[in-house]
Amino acid sequence: MFVFVLEGIGEVVAGDDLAALIAGAAGTRLEHGDILAVTSKIVSKAEGRQVSAADREQAITDETVRTVATRAFPGGVTRIVENRQGLVMAAAGVDASNTPDGTVLLLPVDPDASARALCAALRESTGLRLGVIITDTVGRPWREGQTDIAIGAAGVAVLDDLRGTDDAFGRRLFVTVAAVADEIAGAADLVKGKTSGNPVAVVRGLEHLVNELDAADAHGATRLLRPIENDMFRVGSAEAHAEGFSEGYAAGLAAAAGDAASVAVVVE
Amino acid sequence: MFVFVLEGIGEVVAGDDLAALIAGAAGTRLEHGDILAVTSKIVSKAEGRQVSAADREQAITDETVRTVATRAFPGGVTRIVENRQGLVMAAAGVDASNTPDGTVLLLPVDPDASARALCAALRESTGLRLGVIITDTVGRPWREGQTDIAIGAAGVAVLDDLRGTDDAFGRRLFVTVAAVADEIAGAADLVKGKTSGNPVAVVRGLEHLVNELDAADAHGATRLLRPIENDMFRVGSAEAHAEGFSEGYAAGLAAAAGDAASVAVVVE
């Protein structure tokens, strides 16, 4: 696998033709099976998702569909939320870095649709079978530091389902489904960096993951979003504890009042 | 960045000299600044961390220092725990894939120490300035699929702290600390795969992350473990809710009994 950045894309502004900018920067360097990892920031800029920094807190609220956890820090509150795109991230993904002074960026409205349009345009203009992943940077529970993940994808499998294949001992692998799109996003981040002004990397050597835009496994990065009902960490520990405490308190009062019916209701 | 696997390492058994096996498989292909991503499985095998599969559940219990979340599934219970290595993972990292029939593998006792010994031996035998990362595969909250992370590291920076550097607009980056060792582990997984029997990948082009074994930032992968007191997801939502409910129930009963003192005790 070979990963390199496309220099010379320069600053992106609302209305820019990203496919043309990327194709221009790539020149003749792209090949069949290449996967382009594109920082969501430039997609947001091209789509005009810039808002005034003065409205940042309101923007975070507007982008939030569900608060997962909050924690106060000196000077503010960290809000971990599920945003309109279904992603669980701090500040709903509203971003103040690498944006012009006085502005913040919202994530693309539909990163999979953005990836699909970009991939289709790049395949058209280059005649090459390419994949596109749109990346963003997130924190993780239990681990220090941040990694890049895939928030949009087109023309590339985001999960490599190894269940049903055999391990080196001929035993079936039952639970392994590799989140390859997230690993590709992380690999691209290693060469793009955060400060270099290189928003696009090319990942070569994974053509087995590149598929047709209408392939059965071309479901985009939304496929990487775990349904909340399957998630054991759907809210923060403190939030879940507080919710349980208030429910338990009401149940305790009701029990003391001998109101068995309401206990059953509260407890169930 | 260029990532390739080292073929021909073959099956590893207890007592094997991993450094010799890897150096032999690499031949003359290694260069200054290369980072070797080594699957923890072969480190465990070389260290004789194999136990009988019949003892799997007991082994998970023995490796567990703290239960984070549990969920029943048809035929068993998924246990997300913090293990002796400080890692939060399913089944404490006890692994039944790519192991001989009737056996399971425990993680290395001290993956950073294993990485350090391996890195020192490889630097000695090759005369090259190399880094070593020991990888394992984990699931994540909120995201489908699994990714490889760094559970051990030596001779390489695991975090790339960009705080205090400038973004492309000359504005300071305040919160970005890239978990580069985890991104390297993921990049290596893309070429190693899970079934190919290629337990070692070489990552070339990140020599800026390779440091001295005794460098100030050579703190190993334990540096990637977030202290529990800083973690908003230290236990599962259901576990936190249940704990809160029982405390609240007791507080409700006490309040109904008009025992303000015990309320204060329970609630505080």
Side-chain angles (χ1 to χ4, degrees):
Chain A
M1 180 175 73
F2 181 51
V3 187
F4 59 95
V5 296
L6 293 182
E7 296 85 1
I9 287 178
E11 183 51 19
V12 174
V13 297
D16 278 350
D17 180 345
L18 264 194
L21 289 174
I22 291 171
T28 60
R29 299 170 70 192
L30 296 179
E31 298 179 3
H32 274 295
D34 284 348
I35 299 168
L36 288 90
V38 181
T39 303
S40 59
K41 203 177 305 291
I42 65 169
V43 178
S44 294
K45 287 178 177 178
E47 296 179 359
R49 297 280 286 162
Q50 203 160 296
V51 299
S52 165
D55 305 326
R56 179 172 183 273
E57 289 305 313
Q58 185 58 47
I60 295 171
T61 300
D62 295 343
E63 293 298 300
T64 298
V65 297
R66 183 175 69 86
T67 297
V68 173
T70 60
R71 173 170 290 186
F73 64 88
V77 173
T78 298
R79 285 193 266 173
I80 312 292
V81 307
E82 179 182 333
N83 65 15
R84 295 174 177 275
Q85 293 78 12
L87 297 157
V88 176
M89 35 172 68
V94 176
D95 189 350
S97 67
N98 284 294
T99 58
D101 273 330
T103 66
V104 294
L105 272 181
L106 313 182
L107 290 176
V109 173
D110 181 347
D112 279 335
S114 301
R116 192 179 178 82
L118 183 56
C119 189
L122 283 166
R123 286 186 177 200
E124 173 70 21
S125 64
T126 63
L128 298 170
R129 195 159 178 274
L130 305 171
V132 169
I133 287 174
I134 296 176
T135 70
D136 199 18
T137 305
V138 299
R140 305 92 36 95
W142 318 322
R143 307 283 293 167
E144 295 286 9
Q146 292 141 346
T147 60
D148 275 17
I149 60 169
I151 68 167
V156 55
V158 298
L159 291 168
D160 189 7
D161 193 338
L162 302 169
R163 292 171 299 183
T165 60
D166 291 343
D167 66 19
F169 286 83
R171 194 177 315 101
R172 294 270 138 176
L173 285 168
F174 287 110
V175 297
T176 302
V177 180
V180 287
D182 286 339
E183 292 183 325
I184 291 168
D189 183 50
L190 288 168
V191 300
K192 288 188 298 184
K194 294 283 183 301
T195 58
S196 60
N198 290 321
V200 180
V202 178
V203 180
R204 181 166 297 162
L206 302 178
E207 44 279 355
H208 60 284
L209 297 177
V210 176
N211 55 33
E212 296 315 309
L213 277 173
D214 56 2
D217 56 350
H219 29 51
T222 51
R223 180 70 183 73
L224 291 166
L225 304 174
R226 174 174 296 146
I228 180 174
E229 61 271 21
N230 298 339
D231 202 303
M232 297 159 87
F233 302 90
R234 56 196 175 282
V235 295
S237 305
E239 286 74 13
H241 185 282
E243 183 186 313
F245 188 95
S246 62
E247 291 178 17
Y249 192 86
L253 285 178
D259 183 345
S262 77
V263 176
V265 170
V266 175
V267 174
E268 82 186 353
Chain B
M1 179 174 74
F2 180 51
V3 187
F4 59 95
V5 295
L6 293 181
E7 296 85 0
I9 288 178
E11 184 50 19
V12 174
V13 298
D16 277 351
D17 180 344
L18 264 193
L21 288 174
I22 292 171
T28 59
R29 298 170 71 192
L30 296 179
E31 298 179 4
H32 274 295
D34 283 349
I35 299 168
L36 288 90
V38 180
T39 303
S40 59
K41 202 176 305 291
I42 64 169
V43 178
S44 294
K45 288 178 177 178
E47 296 179 359
R49 297 279 287 161
Q50 203 160 297
V51 299
S52 164
D55 305 325
R56 179 172 183 274
E57 289 305 315
Q58 185 58 47
I60 295 171
T61 301
D62 294 342
E63 293 298 300
T64 297
V65 297
R66 182 174 69 87
T67 298
V68 173
T70 61
R71 173 169 290 187
F73 64 87
V77 174
T78 298
R79 286 193 264 173
I80 312 293
V81 307
E82 179 182 332
N83 64 16
R84 294 175 178 276
Q85 293 79 9
L87 297 156
V88 176
M89 33 172 70
V94 176
D95 190 351
S97 67
N98 285 295
T99 58
D101 273 329
T103 67
V104 294
L105 272 180
L106 313 182
L107 290 176
V109 173
D110 181 346
D112 278 335
S114 303
R116 192 178 177 83
L118 182 56
C119 189
L122 282 167
R123 287 185 177 201
E124 172 71 21
S125 64
T126 64
L128 297 170
R129 193 158 177 276
L130 305 171
V132 168
I133 287 174
I134 296 176
T135 70
D136 199 18
T137 305
V138 298
R140 304 92 39 94
W142 318 322
R143 306 283 292 167
E144 296 285 10
Q146 293 142 344
T147 60
D148 275 18
I149 61 168
I151 68 168
V156 56
V158 299
L159 291 168
D160 190 7
D161 192 337
L162 302 169
R163 291 172 298 183
T165 60
D166 290 344
D167 66 19
F169 286 83
R171 197 177 314 100
R172 294 270 137 175
L173 285 168
F174 288 108
V175 297
T176 303
V177 180
V180 288
D182 286 340
E183 293 183 324
I184 291 168
D189 182 50
L190 288 167
V191 301
K192 288 189 298 185
K194 294 281 183 302
T195 58
S196 60
N198 290 321
V200 180
V202 179
V203 179
R204 181 166 297 162
L206 302 178
E207 44 279 1
H208 60 284
L209 298 176
V210 176
N211 54 34
E212 297 314 308
L213 277 173
D214 57 2
D217 56 351
H219 29 52
T222 53
R223 180 70 183 73
L224 290 165
L225 304 174
R226 176 175 295 146
I228 180 174
E229 62 271 21
N230 298 340
D231 202 304
M232 296 159 87
F233 301 91
R234 56 197 177 281
V235 295
S237 305
E239 287 73 14
H241 184 282
E243 183 186 312
F245 189 94
S246 61
E247 292 177 16
Y249 191 86
L253 286 176
D259 184 345
S262 78
V263 177
V265 171
V266 176
V267 174
E268 81 187 355

